[in-house]
Amino acid sequence: MKNILNLSLKTITGREFLQESIDIINKDTLLLADRSNFRKNYFIGIKNNKNIERDFIKKICDGDEFIWHTIDSGSDRGRAVDIKLKNPITGSLMTGSSSGTAINVLYGINDLGIGTDGGGSIIYPAMSLNLYSLMGKGIGLHGKYTKESTDGISFTPGIGFISHEFDVIEKAIKKLGYDLDSELNASMRIGTININKIENKELFKKIKLNFDKREINIEDEFNDDRNELMKSLKEIFENKDIIITYENDIEIDGLGDSVFGSLGKKSRKNQKNSKKVLGKVANMMNLTVVTIPDERLASGVIILAREGVEYGIEALKIASKLSGEYLPKLYYRYFKNSYLDSKNDMIFDL
């Protein structure tokens, strides 16, 4: 009975977000859940983007574990910020372009969001809301349409996931036929970049415990230009299979959008202050990326793996070792289960 109520409230809450972060709600969601006798079901939100094909969704929704719930809005023409939506935590413009997908996960309307990523469009919306994410270009999760970035780089978008819980992402990956059950591969060459910036002691201890004997710390100051970033990363991946790093304060002090940043020195400086770095080029380099939220706002660990299924799966296994609920309880109470609290707070004028 409790699960029926929870799923119903997710859909009711979703209707409040129609024409904002949600474009369409599947009217048959609860009927599909009823067919499974309301066992453990995960609701899915899908970014409104033609690169996410029906066959991809059918694989994940095969059976009764995952159920399509919403079609989510995204930023205008894939911009790195969404001028229509606000970040629910900061009240600033929402990071794009999988903006609606991330917001609908944050509020617990969906358990899993499926988005597309050109230059950080899954990674950074998730990080800006302290959510887990996977960008799976390196393991073969990608669209079929080529685009050109605002700085003139051609790319095919990667496809990936956003969730409050890493194990939900793992379940979706397994539905696609990937094996995550083997042990960590001791021969993988792992490097860390300025990893000591992590403020969460528990997360830092997990990294040191699992990878201290294999890691080589890479001290590097990265150029903000995408072409230079890709050149630097390419050199690192000549000797490394996986990189563990940390990015913080995403779009707290600046607007990480190249359209905005093209309008003079002041806007360019503000764009750089957004602190988006390696996630901007990960898809363009065909990498696999997993992000793990930290207790600090809009911050977290980023795991980048070179192209290839064996490397991407290893990154996922590393993320599984590091995953946990690191955020304050107030964050989870206010957002993750907000559809429960908001209904209790209603005041009816009779």
Side-chain angles (χ1 to χ4, degrees):
M1 182 66 185
K2 183 178 179 182
N3 201 35
I4 298 173
L5 176 63
N6 286 356
L7 296 179
S8 300
L9 287 175
K10 284 173 181 278
T11 295
I12 292 168
T13 303
R15 293 190 178 281
E16 297 173 8
F17 286 72
L18 272 171
Q19 309 312 315
E20 294 181 17
S21 58
I22 295 174
D23 289 343
I24 299 169
I25 290 184
N26 180 7
K27 60 182 176 59
D28 295 326
T29 301
L30 293 176
L31 291 175
L32 292 169
D34 181 54
R35 289 179 191 174
S36 69
N37 295 317
F38 291 97
R39 292 191 292 272
K40 180 62 175 178
N41 302 116
Y42 298 105
F43 279 5
I44 295 178
I46 306 161
K47 182 181 179 181
N48 196 347
N49 187 288
K50 62 184 179 181
N51 278 287
I52 305 173
E53 298 186 81
R54 287 178 180 267
D55 287 346
F56 179 84
I57 303 302
K58 285 179 180 178
K59 285 182 182 178
I60 297 173
C61 293
D62 182 33
D64 55 25
E65 190 171 23
F66 289 97
I67 297 173
W68 166 50
H69 188 210
T70 64
I71 299 294
D72 307 320
S73 68
S75 66
D76 180 37
R77 287 170 285 178
R79 279 188 70 179
V81 294
D82 191 332
I83 60 172
K84 306 184 305 297
L85 295 174
K86 287 185 178 180
N87 180 312
I89 301 175
T90 66
S92 303
L93 290 180
M94 181 58 195
T95 308
S97 63
S98 300
S99 42
T101 299
I103 287 173
N104 298 334
V105 169
L106 177 72
Y107 277 113
I109 296 165
N110 296 317
D111 303 288
L112 183 74
I114 302 177
T116 61
D117 190 303
S121 297
I122 291 171
I123 297 164
Y124 289 126
M127 289 192 73
S128 73
L129 300 181
N130 290 78
L131 300 168
Y132 284 93
S133 73
L134 162 70
M135 194 283 293
K137 181 76 166 290
I139 59 172
L141 305 185
H142 58 79
K144 62 180 181 180
Y145 300 101
T146 300
K147 292 185 65 177
E148 187 173 288
S149 71
T150 46
D151 39 11
I153 301 171
S154 293
F155 65 90
T156 302
I159 295 173
F161 306 112
I162 299 172
S163 183
H164 270 292
E165 300 172 41
F166 185 71
D167 68 341
V168 175
I169 293 176
E170 288 181 303
K171 290 176 190 295
I173 282 292
K174 289 179 179 179
K175 294 287 286 187
L176 293 170
Y178 294 96
D179 179 17
L180 301 178
D181 295 328
S182 59
E183 292 297 316
L184 284 170
N185 185 344
S187 67
M188 285 285 170
R189 300 172 299 172
I190 300 173
T192 63
I193 301 175
N194 295 330
I195 205 70
N196 59 329
K197 288 182 180 177
I198 296 178
E199 293 199 349
N200 187 302
K201 292 180 180 178
E202 184 184 349
L203 182 52
F204 181 76
K205 284 179 181 177
K206 281 187 177 183
I207 292 170
K208 301 298 285 186
L209 178 66
N210 285 282
F211 309 110
D212 191 46
K213 293 180 181 178
R214 288 192 279 166
E215 73 183 26
I216 297 175
N217 194 48
I218 304 162
E219 293 291 339
D220 208 340
E221 289 295 326
F222 290 101
N223 191 303
D224 192 54
D225 177 77
R226 269 201 177 103
N227 287 299
E228 292 298 319
L229 275 173
M230 288 192 284
K231 182 180 177 181
S232 297
L233 268 183
K234 185 177 179 181
E235 290 175 0
I236 292 171
F237 276 117
E238 288 177 0
N239 300 302
K240 293 287 172 287
D241 301 312
I242 294 171
I243 296 169
I244 304 174
T245 189
Y246 183 79
E247 293 187 16
N248 58 282
D249 301 338
I250 302 302
E251 289 200 340
I252 300 300
D253 301 313
L255 201 62
D257 175 62
S258 51
V259 177
F260 169 78
S262 68
L263 298 170
K265 290 182 179 179
K266 189 170 184 179
S267 60
R268 178 76 183 104
K269 183 178 179 181
N270 186 283
Q271 181 193 2
K272 190 172 182 178
N273 287 340
S274 69
K275 296 190 177 179
K276 294 177 178 178
V277 189
L278 299 184
K280 295 194 303 184
V281 298
N283 173 70
M284 295 170 182
M285 294 183 66
N286 299 326
L287 306 180
T288 298
V289 180
V290 187
T291 67
I292 300 169
D294 186 33
E295 64 184 359
R296 182 173 171 175
L297 175 63
S299 305
V301 165
I302 302 181
I303 303 168
L304 304 100
R306 66 190 311 155
E307 184 176 7
V309 173
E310 66 272 35
Y311 305 112
I313 295 304
E314 200 68 14
L316 281 157
K317 289 189 285 186
I318 289 171
S320 184
K321 291 272 187 183
L322 301 178
S323 63
E325 290 196 344
Y326 299 116
L327 289 147
K329 289 182 179 179
L330 178 60
Y331 167 90
Y332 294 111
R333 193 181 79 198
Y334 192 84
F335 291 113
K336 187 178 177 182
N337 297 313
S338 66
Y339 58 90
L340 295 177
D341 283 345
S342 63
K343 303 308 158 191
N344 293 333
D345 288 342
M346 282 185 176
I347 299 175
F348 293 96
D349 238 345
L350 299 178

